[in-house]
């Protein structure tokens, strides 16, 4: 055959994810940890390589790892599901609850994977924009939409290009929000949880850097799922380990749609070794928080620079009158994420907080001289 049938039209419209390997010394574009695993954990990884039965399938539900994760939150292993990165759990969530005729509500500017997972699963994607100054979740409009059911189409500010039918069955609130760094007040999350029986996914991928969590609300709310990842706080972006917390009966549909051996045995074992040495990572989070404040202060002192308040391991910032800030920083040897392409954050870049030396490189490459220079 010299041809192949096209895929579903909604898949044909998608763009494959790919990024070229970085070519500059300072890479602060994907919110990774600036540091590899701590030496004691790396030593343990070497032991694990020798001991692992590579010929055997992994534990399909990662029992030992789930138990260790649950213990960090005072929850049982049955309150945890492990995924091949948080991204996989997002997709599983949309597979289980989404689909044609259903919709998911989120609050842009936000994480691109929400829309992508909706597209892949044929789920309608409904957006209500965050406040254009504070980037807070538009809580009144969200509650109105969730309580108004099908009347949501009339809600001001909602963009319905990919909207599904009826009230959303999933609401995603990212806190701290990627890319703005905005924390959603706990009271607002509680209002969402009370306003609807839709699944409220609170994406806490960066919560270790804010110190705030709503995981303790799981007991109270059957519709709460909290998403977490090892990629950032535990220096494990290369192995793909994420997890979600929720009541066992709430998580049950995710277990039905997930691939049987979604988390490989090596990643399970290494993630467990990370948790056994959690204190080594916690010291790093304190450094990242302190460096975030130092970097924010230094950049804010540069003329024309606006830095959004951030509770995460990145800063979202712009310089008045500079159109291609990311390009300018790249010329200075620093790779950041250009988030200014959409309509929400014109001119902004997202800079991951790196090591002190990397942050110094950002400050040096940033346009304009600081007040004390
Ligand atoms: N949520 C948010 C907000 C993120 O930024 C990311 C990573 N970029 C994820 C979830 C998923 O992370 P991972 O798949 O690496 O666990």
């Amino acid at each position: 055959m010299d041809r192949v049938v096209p895929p579903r039209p909604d898949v044909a419209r998608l763009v494959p994810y790919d990024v070229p390997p970085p070519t500059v010394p300072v890479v602060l574009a994907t919110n990774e940890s600036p540091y590899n695993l701590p030496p004691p954990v790396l030593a343990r990884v070497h032991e694990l390589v020798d001991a692992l039965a590579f010929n055997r399938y992994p534990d399909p539900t990662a029992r030992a790892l789930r138990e260790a994760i649950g213990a960090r939150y005072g929850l049982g292993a049955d309150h945890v599901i492990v995924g091949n990165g948080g991204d996989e759990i997002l997709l599983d969530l949309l597979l289980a609850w989404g689909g044609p005729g259903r919709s998911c509500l989120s609050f842009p500017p936000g994480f691109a994977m929400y829309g992508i997972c909706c597209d892949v699963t044929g789920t309608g994607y409904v957006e209500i924009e965050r406040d254009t100054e504070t980037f807070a979740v538009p809580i009144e409009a969200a509650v109105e939409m969730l309580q108004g059911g099908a009347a949501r189409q009339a809600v001001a500010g909602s963009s319905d290009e990919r909207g599904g039918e009826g009230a959303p069955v999933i609401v995603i609130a990212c806190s701290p929000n990627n890319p703005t760094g905005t924390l959603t007040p706990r009271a607002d999350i509680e209002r969402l949880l009370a306003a609807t029986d839709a699944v409220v996914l609170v994406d806490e991928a960066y919560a270790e850097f804010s110190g705030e969590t709503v995981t303790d609300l799981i007991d109270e709310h059957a519709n709460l799922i909290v998403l977490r990842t090892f990629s950032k706080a535990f220096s494990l972006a290369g192995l793909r380990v994420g997890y979600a917390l929720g009541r066992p009966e709430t998580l049950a549909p995710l277990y039905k749609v997930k691939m049987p051996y979604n988390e490989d045995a090596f990643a399970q074992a290494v993630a467990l070794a990370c948790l056994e040495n959690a204190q080594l990572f916690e010291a790093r989070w304190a450094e990242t928080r302190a460096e975030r404040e130092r970097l924010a202060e230094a950049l804010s002192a540069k003329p024309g620079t606006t830095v959004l308040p951030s509770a995460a391991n990145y800063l979202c910032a712009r310089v008045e009158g500079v159109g291609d800030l990311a390009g300018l920083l790249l010329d200075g040897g620093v790779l950041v994420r250009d988030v200014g392409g959409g309509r929400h954050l014109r001119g902004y870049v997202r800079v991951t907080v790196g090591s002190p030396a990397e942050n110094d490189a950002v400050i040096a490459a940033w346009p304009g001289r600081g007040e004390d220079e």
Side-chain angles (χ1 to χ4, degrees), residues 287-314:
E287 181 197 275
T288 297
R289 285 195 288 258
E291 279 295 297
R292 175 182 70 208
E293 300 318 312
R294 181 177 78 88
L295 185 59
E297 211 169 296
L299 297 184
S300 300
K302 306 259 188 177
T305 296
T306 305
V307 181
L308 302 180
S310 172
N313 67 337
Y314 48 83

Side-chain angles (χ1 to χ4, degrees), residues 29-103:
T30 38
N31 301 338
E32 297 149 322
S33 169
Y35 306 117
N36 200 348
L37 295 173
V41 181
L42 272 181
R44 179 79 189 117
V45 168
H46 287 125
E47 289 170 14
L48 290 169
V49 170
D50 287 337
L52 201 80
F54 284 93
N55 56 319
R56 300 293 178 193
Y57 281 105
D59 176 344
T61 68
R63 283 173 184 80
L65 178 57
R66 284 190 295 123
E67 202 148 303
I69 291 169
R72 280 183 76 77
Y73 300 93
L75 298 169
D78 57 350
H79 283 69
V80 185
I81 184 165
V82 169
N84 197 260
D87 287 345
E88 186 189 44
I89 295 179
L90 282 172
L91 181 60
D92 286 348
L93 180 83
L94 271 299
L95 284 172
W97 274 275
R102 293 176 157 230
S103 71

Side-chain angles (χ1 to χ4, degrees), residues 30-31 84-88 90 111 114 174 176 178 203 205-206 227-232 237 240-242 350:
T30 38
N31 301 338
N84 197 260
D87 287 345
E88 186 189 44
L90 282 172
F111 184 37
Y114 307 149
C174 187
N178 179 7
D203 185 343
Y206 300 95
L227 185 68
R228 291 285 192 122
T229 180
F230 279 75
S231 294
K232 322 292 180 179
R240 317 302 302 127
V241 188
R350 190 194 64 201

Side-chain angles (χ1 to χ4, degrees), residues 199-283:
V199 175
V200 176
L201 182 88
V202 181
D203 185 343
E204 292 190 350
Y206 300 95
E208 287 86 349
F209 307 106
S210 74
E212 301 221 8
T213 180
V214 294
T215 45
D216 56 298
L217 294 176
I218 286 169
D219 265 352
E220 246 173 280
H221 296 279
N223 57 337
L224 173 61
I225 297 182
V226 179
L227 185 68
R228 291 285 192 122
T229 180
F230 279 75
S231 294
K232 322 292 180 179
F234 285 96
S235 298
L236 219 54
L239 281 198
R240 317 302 302 127
V241 188
Y243 59 96
L245 303 162
R247 288 204 203 158
E249 66 273 21
T250 307
L251 299 183
L254 297 175
Y255 276 100
K256 296 181 184 184
V257 299
K258 85 168 189 68
M259 287 294 119
Y261 301 109
N262 59 323
E263 194 65 50
D264 70 70
F266 187 60
Q268 289 184 31
V270 175
L272 194 54
C274 289
L275 290 184
E276 284 164 1
N277 293 276
Q279 77 288 352
L280 301 177
F281 295 91
E282 283 158 10

